[in-house]
Amino acid sequence: MTASIETTTAATEAPTTGTTPVVGAGEEYARLHPTALEVGPNVRDEVVTDTTAFRNMVASIIEHGVLLPILARRDGDLIVVIDGQVRTLAAIEAGAESVPVLIRPDASTAKDREIERLTRQVVANDRRIDLTAGQRAKAVTDMLELGVSVPKIAKAVQVKRETVKAAGAAGRSQAAIDALDAGQLTLDQAAIVAVFDAEGDTDAVAQLLNAGSWFRSEAQQLLADRAERKARTAASAPYAEKGLTVLEEEPYYGDPYTAAEDLVTTDGDPITEAIIEAAAEHWAVWLTKEEKLTLVATGEFIDKDSIDWDTQVDLSGDAEEGLHHYKDVGSVEVWVPEYFTADPDAAGVKLGPILAAASAEPAADESSDAAAKRVREQEAAQKVLAAKEAEKLARRRTIALNKASAAATIVRKEWLAKFLTRKTLPKGAAKWITDTLVDEPGLLTQNKASEHLAELLGITIGKPEGHLWGDWKERAARTALAPVIDTASDARAQVIALAQILAAYEARMSGTGKDWWKRVGGSNQDNYLGFLDQHGHVLTVVEQVGAGTLTPEQAYDALTAPSEESITD
């Protein structure tokens, strides 16, 4: 195909200075319609045009045009492409009016021309050095800082808006850029590292850079801790306004601080909040988030013993007289204050009977009988204090593992949602499905499993019109799932069957509270979590407790001593 050509020809050596574009001796620069070019033989013997990469190039040409000149040679009336085969085909598909072409003088013989073509095509493809992932991220960050919007950047560089946002975050952190370029992190991971780097949290950055396959779960835990710290700071503001010291770490037994519950007034009365506020400068407060059961209708706090827990399984049944039905119960998280003082004398208080007995010193004129009595009382008091400290440790352990379980559940559900997009069952899944259903035929009917299945498959549950009665959401979930199952292939339907079992297990676990790590015995969590582990989900320490391979004590030690060698190594 031929076309008129507007060219710039250099008959002599091209200048080597100046700002005007120039061409080499004997070369021609032209702008041609892409269909005017003949795509000759190429070492890339096939261009697949239905790939994402090709579609992105077409989109780029529509947006920016062809940025690099196509290298060509004359062959009679033809202009034959030497380098730029893909750009030419993409420009044609993009409907480009013209493309830049550098036409080189032809070699003297057919053999020389062929040698030159092969050499240039190989060298041109091999010697292209892509930008690093970090350089791309930094470029996006710079564009954002110049005021370019996320949608415009996404369109300009042909990436998703989520990718632009992640790159914009990662590009603000040199630590994230370095890890990205080293192949240590993905772009999404680098964006998370950048969040902590921006806040100067070097410990969190170091932890994430060394997290390996646990990156997502550790990141979720760190993000949850970060959110909790901010919430605690906000909740602490009223106490700070009263003059109390707000503690950033919970005091342990033996710290400089003594708990208000172990103290009394000079008259021997319990310490009240009024007494604390009257001498606020001598007191400190630590806030702990606790989950409280409530009546949904009134918000009233209730005790767990006031609930008929049988109605959790049978929602249609009636609660025993004097007890609350499970469907009427909700929960809220509240901040509970604990008060401490480092100077009881200045605070106008003294040690309570138990603490005083545990730390009693012998009197100068103490008789042997008095000494024996004091020792007995001291030993008894120390046992009481040891029991209290063990109870506090168990409470701290429960709080830590509950927080870890909440973070693990988020990550596990993310993994499940991706895992269940597959078109066929993974190896060994069919036998596992059969074994599970034979072992637990009632598994699929418990704990609102259909709602969890819809969530894992990304299916929106519509709210029915008219009067809502009973467990309407579970019925609505089954209604929403029906067309998905109807249109599924046989292989995909098998995956949905697997999803139904996994969703039922997830409903049994996370659908019944954050303390699923305690329910190891008859819950068959080991069957569920073991399956996930075999197919690529890396179990966190709290999930290993739920699977029965770690004790709560071992998991707590691992969570509170991250610098130590992992107990699972």
Side-chain angles (χ1 to χ4, degrees):
M1 185 179 294
T2 61
S4 60
I5 305 174
E6 295 181 4
T7 65
T8 299
T9 304
T12 60
E13 282 195 24
T16 57
T17 61
T19 58
T20 303
V22 296
V23 293
E27 295 176 340
E28 301 172 74
Y29 176 84
R31 291 204 66 90
L32 304 175
H33 195 282
T35 58
L37 301 174
E38 182 76 19
V39 179
N42 199 288
V43 292
R44 191 194 304 272
D45 55 5
E46 182 182 11
V47 177
V48 182
T49 59
D50 61 354
T51 63
T52 300
F54 186 82
R55 303 310 310 169
N56 284 344
M57 180 169 284
V58 172
S60 175
I61 291 173
I62 292 173
E63 181 72 13
H64 307 291
V66 174
L67 300 178
L68 298 176
I70 295 166
L71 185 61
R73 64 176 177 80
R74 286 189 178 278
D75 186 1
D77 290 337
L78 300 177
I79 305 297
V80 181
V81 174
I82 299 174
D83 175 51
Q85 173 194 38
V86 176
R87 276 170 283 161
T88 301
L89 296 176
I92 292 172
E93 185 154 344
E97 291 296 322
S98 66
V99 295
V101 184
L102 182 62
I103 306 169
R104 299 184 63 88
D106 222 347
S108 57
T109 67
K111 180 180 178 180
D112 289 341
R113 287 195 296 271
E114 189 65 4
I115 291 172
E116 180 185 37
R117 176 186 71 81
L118 291 168
T119 300
R120 290 189 178 280
Q121 288 174 354
V122 170
V123 171
N125 283 284
D126 285 350
R127 295 299 175 262
R128 290 181 177 131
I129 301 175
D130 286 338
L131 292 173
T132 68
Q135 289 167 340
R136 291 178 185 276
K138 187 63 170 64
V140 169
T141 299
D142 291 345
M143 283 189 277
L144 289 170
E145 290 179 350
L146 287 170
V148 185
S149 68
V150 169
K152 285 186 177 180
I153 296 174
K155 183 179 180 182
V157 298
Q158 288 82 54
V159 297
K160 294 179 179 179
R161 295 184 184 186
E162 293 74 16
T163 302
V164 172
K165 293 175 182 177
R172 291 183 172 88
S173 164
Q174 191 58 49
I177 290 173
D178 292 343
L180 197 57
D181 283 344
Q184 186 178 359
L185 300 177
T186 65
L187 181 60
D188 288 339
Q189 291 173 339
I192 293 173
V193 167
V195 171
F196 293 99
D197 196 19
E199 295 184 351
D201 192 342
T202 55
D203 289 341
V205 171
Q207 183 177 337
L208 290 173
L209 292 179
N210 291 300
S213 58
W214 281 359
F215 181 95
R216 185 65 190 90
S217 59
E218 293 202 19
Q220 185 60 45
Q221 183 66 65
L222 286 167
L223 289 169
D225 290 345
R226 173 175 170 265
E228 184 176 284
R229 284 195 301 272
K230 290 183 177 181
R232 178 179 283 110
T233 299
S236 299
Y239 299 94
E241 290 173 1
K242 293 177 181 178
L244 281 79
T245 299
V246 175
L247 297 174
E248 295 183 0
E249 299 282 346
E250 181 181 6
Y252 282 69
Y253 181 71
D255 278 355
Y257 286 104
T258 302
E261 64 182 9
D262 294 325
L263 299 166
V264 294
T265 67
T266 53
D267 295 329
D269 297 324
I271 306 300
T272 64
E273 288 194 353
I275 291 172
I276 291 170
E277 291 178 9
E281 68 274 16
H282 300 299
W283 288 92
V285 63
W286 165 252
L287 296 183
T288 302
K289 186 179 284 187
E290 292 185 2
E291 193 169 19
K292 299 283 189 181
L293 296 173
T294 64
L295 289 178
V296 175
T298 64
E300 175 190 352
F301 291 132
I302 59 173
D303 188 83
K304 65 178 181 180
D305 293 333
S306 68
I307 301 169
D308 183 349
W309 292 101
D310 289 339
T311 59
Q312 181 180 6
V313 178
D314 183 12
L315 290 173
S316 61
D318 294 327
E320 186 179 332
E321 186 176 353
L323 297 178
H324 299 294
H325 196 291
Y326 179 76
K327 65 180 176 60
D328 298 325
V329 177
S331 65
V332 294
E333 288 188 323
V334 297
W335 290 103
V336 178
E338 295 178 78
Y339 299 102
F340 302 85
T341 181
D343 191 345
D345 291 337
V349 297
K350 64 181 183 179
L351 300 183
I354 294 175
L355 198 57
S359 56
E361 296 290 340
D365 57 349
E366 186 176 58
S367 66
S368 59
D369 289 343
K373 180 181 179 183
R374 179 183 54 76
V375 169
R376 288 194 301 272
E377 291 176 347
Q378 193 171 47
E379 290 175 347
Q382 288 172 343
K383 286 182 180 179
V384 172
L385 292 176
K388 286 181 64 176
E389 184 57 27
E391 184 180 339
K392 287 183 178 181
L393 176 59
R395 176 171 162 271
R396 285 193 291 266
R397 184 165 56 239
T398 296
I399 291 172
L401 291 178
N402 278 351
K403 288 198 298 184
S405 77
T409 294
I410 292 173
V411 176
R412 187 173 61 252
K413 285 184 175 181
E414 287 177 357
W415 183 89
L416 281 166
K418 292 179 181 178
F419 178 70
L420 293 172
T421 59
R422 60 192 311 122
K423 296 179 181 179
T424 59
L425 287 176
K427 185 177 180 180
K431 183 176 183 298
W432 182 83
I433 291 172
T434 305
D435 287 342
T436 299
L437 292 180
V438 168
D439 186 46
E440 289 198 84
L443 173 66
L444 304 183
T445 62
Q446 303 171 2
N447 304 307
K448 303 181 181 180
S450 295
E451 293 179 39
H452 282 75
L453 175 59
E455 178 188 358
L456 294 180
L457 295 180
I459 297 171
T460 302
I461 302 175
K463 190 173 183 179
E465 296 181 359
H467 177 67
L468 300 178
W469 56 275
D471 194 5
W472 66 266
K473 196 169 185 180
E474 183 71 0
R475 294 192 302 276
R478 292 195 289 270
T479 300
L481 286 162
V484 176
I485 298 171
D486 289 343
T487 57
S489 65
D490 285 348
R492 177 60 185 163
Q494 291 174 345
V495 175
I496 295 175
L498 170 63
Q500 190 172 22
I501 295 175
L502 297 177
Y505 269 129
E506 188 59 45
R508 175 184 289 176
M509 278 180 56
S510 61
T512 55
K514 291 182 290 188
D515 61 348
W516 48 259
W517 53 272
K518 294 180 179 178
R519 302 190 290 273
V520 180
S523 65
N524 277 349
Q525 289 176 172
D526 57 337
N527 184 44
Y528 172 49
L529 293 171
F531 178 86
L532 301 190
D533 182 51
Q534 290 172 9
H535 290 85
H537 174 63
V538 181
L539 298 184
T540 62
V541 290
V542 73
E543 287 172 329
Q544 291 176 54
V545 175
T549 57
L550 283 182
T551 66
E553 291 78 13
Q554 288 173 320
Y556 179 70
D557 289 344
L559 290 171
T560 54
S563 60
E564 299 294 326
E565 184 176 353
S566 171
I567 57 176
T568 60
D569 286 347

